Amino acid sequence: MRIRLAGIDVEVTDPTESVTAYLKDYAVPEEGTAAFTAAGGELLSLHREVAENMPRFDRLVCHGALIEAEGKGILFTAPSGTGKTTHVRLWKQWGGDRVRIINGDKPILSVEESGITAWGTPWRGKERMGENASVPLSAIVLLERGSEDLMQREDPADYLDRLLQQIYLPEERAASEKTYELAERLFTRVPFYHLFCTMNRTAYEEAADVLLRESAERSDQ
Amino acid sequence: MIKIRDGYQIRKILDRDVVTADPGLFNGIIKLNETGALIWNGIAEGKDAEEIAARICAEYDTTMEKAVEDVNAFVHDLTEKGVFEEC
C-alpha cells in the first residue's frame, strides 16, 4: 500500500486490514519509487518506522494538536493529559468555520528553505480528530494548565527541555542528529508562545487574541 | 574520579548548552546553566573539583569556596541522573 505523509511517499508492506483502514485517507496510487518502506503489521510500530525515516527528508514527527485558524497553522504541544484536545475543541467551538482541526495527536512538520509546513497524519489520537491537510506553520504554543489564562511570546531556548520532549527522537544516530538540527531551525523560524490555560472559553479567547491579533498586525506592516 | 557515562553528550541548541542522551537512556535534554558546560568539559578532561573551580573563578566573579560548591552540586545532580559515575 502506498501512502503520502507530509508530501513523502511511503511504501507500507503487508498492511493488515485494520492498518489499511486506518491509513486510507492517506493512500495514493503507486507511482514511481517510494522514499522509504515501512512494515504495516501494526500502527505503533509503523509510526515508529515512519518517525525514524522522516528526518532524512527534513521532516519532524511531533506530539501535539494542529489547527488551522484563518489560514494560519498553530501547533499546540504539551505532555499527554495537559489538555491539548480540550483546548483545540474550544477553538473549533468558538472559532467556528474559521478553524479547522488538522491533527489531534501526531502531526508532521516539514522544515525547508521555502518554509515550514505542518501536516495531518493518520495518527489522530483516540478522539480521531483531524483530516488529510496541511498548513503553513505560524506559531508553536506550549500549553500548561493554569488557574488563569495567560499567553506570552517566549524564547524557545528557555523551554528547550519541554519542547524537545514533544519531538520524536530517532534511535539511529544520523537521524537523531538531523532531528536536533531540524528542531533548531524550526524554533529559530517559528514564533513560540507559552499558554497557561483553564478549560474554559476564556482560554480560547486569550490565545486567539494574541495569535490572530499579532499576525494581523504583522500583515499590516 | 568522576567520569561521563557512555551515550551522554553536551551540545549547543539555540545557543544554549544542553546535555543530550542516546535514545533509550533518557527522554529529552538536561539544560545547563552558564558554569555547567565549563564543569562538563573539566570532567571530560579528567580535572578534579579544585581545578574546575579555579577555571570557574577565572571566568566568573565568584569565590573559590562557592565555585567548589557549584562543582560538587553539579556532579551530584548529574550522578543522580545517571549521566556521571564514580570510577
Side-chain angles (χ1 to χ4, degrees):
Chain A
M1 176 183 195
R2 181 72 62 93
I3 60 175
R4 183 165 296 146
L5 300 176
I8 302 292
D9 282 19
V10 181
E11 185 61 34
V12 179
T13 56
D14 305 317
T16 61
E17 223 175 279
S18 63
V19 167
T20 304
Y22 203 79
L23 301 178
K24 71 170 169 30
D25 291 344
Y26 288 79
V28 292
E30 280 184 38
E31 281 164 2
T33 326
F36 61 91
T37 304
E42 194 268 313
L43 284 167
L44 227 43
S45 57
L46 174 62
H47 179 261
R48 195 164 45 240
E49 248 185 284
V50 165
E52 285 284 326
N53 280 279
M54 279 294 173
R56 260 187 302 135
F57 303 97
D58 293 346
R59 275 117 174 95
L60 291 170
V61 172
C62 303
H63 174 231
L66 172 66
I67 65 169
E68 176 184 359
E70 296 179 0
K72 295 168 173 27
I74 304 167
L75 176 66
F76 294 97
T77 192
S80 294
T82 304
K84 296 184 292 298
T85 301
T86 305
H87 190 71
V88 301
R89 278 199 171 130
L90 288 170
W91 274 78
K92 184 63 197 162
Q93 181 182 9
W94 300 108
D97 288 338
R98 294 179 300 151
V99 176
R100 184 159 69 138
I101 297 177
I102 299 183
N103 185 270
D105 189 33
K106 294 178 165 65
I108 292 178
L109 306 182
S110 55
V111 183
E112 295 170 312
E113 275 305 311
S114 49
I116 299 179
T117 303
W119 304 75
T121 71
W123 294 276
R124 297 177 287 149
K126 52 185 187 311
E127 301 83 7
R128 308 286 181 107
M129 295 196 309
E131 51 182 280
N132 185 349
S134 64
V135 62
L137 188 63
S138 287
I140 298 170
V141 182
L142 180 68
L143 292 182
E144 188 172 343
R145 284 210 204 170
S147 48
E148 291 180 322
D149 301 298
L150 179 65
M151 175 118 148
Q152 293 185 302
R153 178 80 185 264
E154 296 281 358
D155 182 353
D158 293 335
Y159 291 81
L160 267 180
D161 50 347
R162 291 158 74 176
L163 287 171
L164 287 174
Q165 270 191 332
Q166 306 306 322
I167 297 177
Y168 181 89
L169 187 69
E171 302 211 350
E172 196 268 308
R173 173 83 54 168
S176 66
E177 291 298 314
K178 185 69 185 293
T179 298
Y180 288 121
E181 192 190 310
L182 292 171
E184 189 160 27
R185 275 192 240 160
L186 171 70
F187 296 124
T188 305
R189 291 165 64 182
V190 179
F192 168 68
Y193 300 82
H194 178 275
L195 172 64
F196 279 111
C197 59
T198 63
M199 312 282 249
N200 307 321
R201 176 179 182 169
T202 46
Y204 154 72
E205 287 168 351
E206 168 70 1
D209 189 46
V210 173
L211 290 173
L212 301 180
R213 169 176 45 88
E214 274 194 21
S215 68
E217 281 169 9
R218 263 204 302 280
S219 39
D220 283 345
Q221 283 161 6
Chain B
M1 166 96 181
I2 299 289
K3 85 173 190 65
I4 304 167
R5 296 179 73 209
D6 285 339
Y8 296 93
Q9 63 276 146
I10 195 179
R11 70 177 71 225
K12 271 201 187 294
I13 302 180
L14 296 175
D15 218 43
R16 302 286 173 95
D17 295 306
V18 301
V19 177
T20 57
D22 290 352
L25 293 177
F26 69 66
N27 191 18
I29 60 161
I30 300 173
K31 296 195 286 192
L32 296 180
N33 64 17
E34 300 165 316
T35 54
L38 205 154
I39 300 172
W40 179 285
N41 291 328
I43 300 286
E45 291 168 41
K47 301 293 177 203
D48 64 29
E50 279 74 31
E51 289 171 292
I52 299 173
R55 286 182 180 180
I56 293 176
C57 287
E59 287 266 332
Y60 300 96
D61 183 21
T62 186
T63 63
M64 198 48 193
E65 196 185 329
K66 183 80 178 52
V68 168
E69 244 176 61
D70 283 349
V71 174
N72 289 334
F74 183 87
V75 167
H76 178 78
D77 186 35
L78 260 66
T79 305
E80 282 224 310
K81 291 180 166 135
V83 180
F84 288 168
E85 65 186 354
E86 276 273 12
C87 61

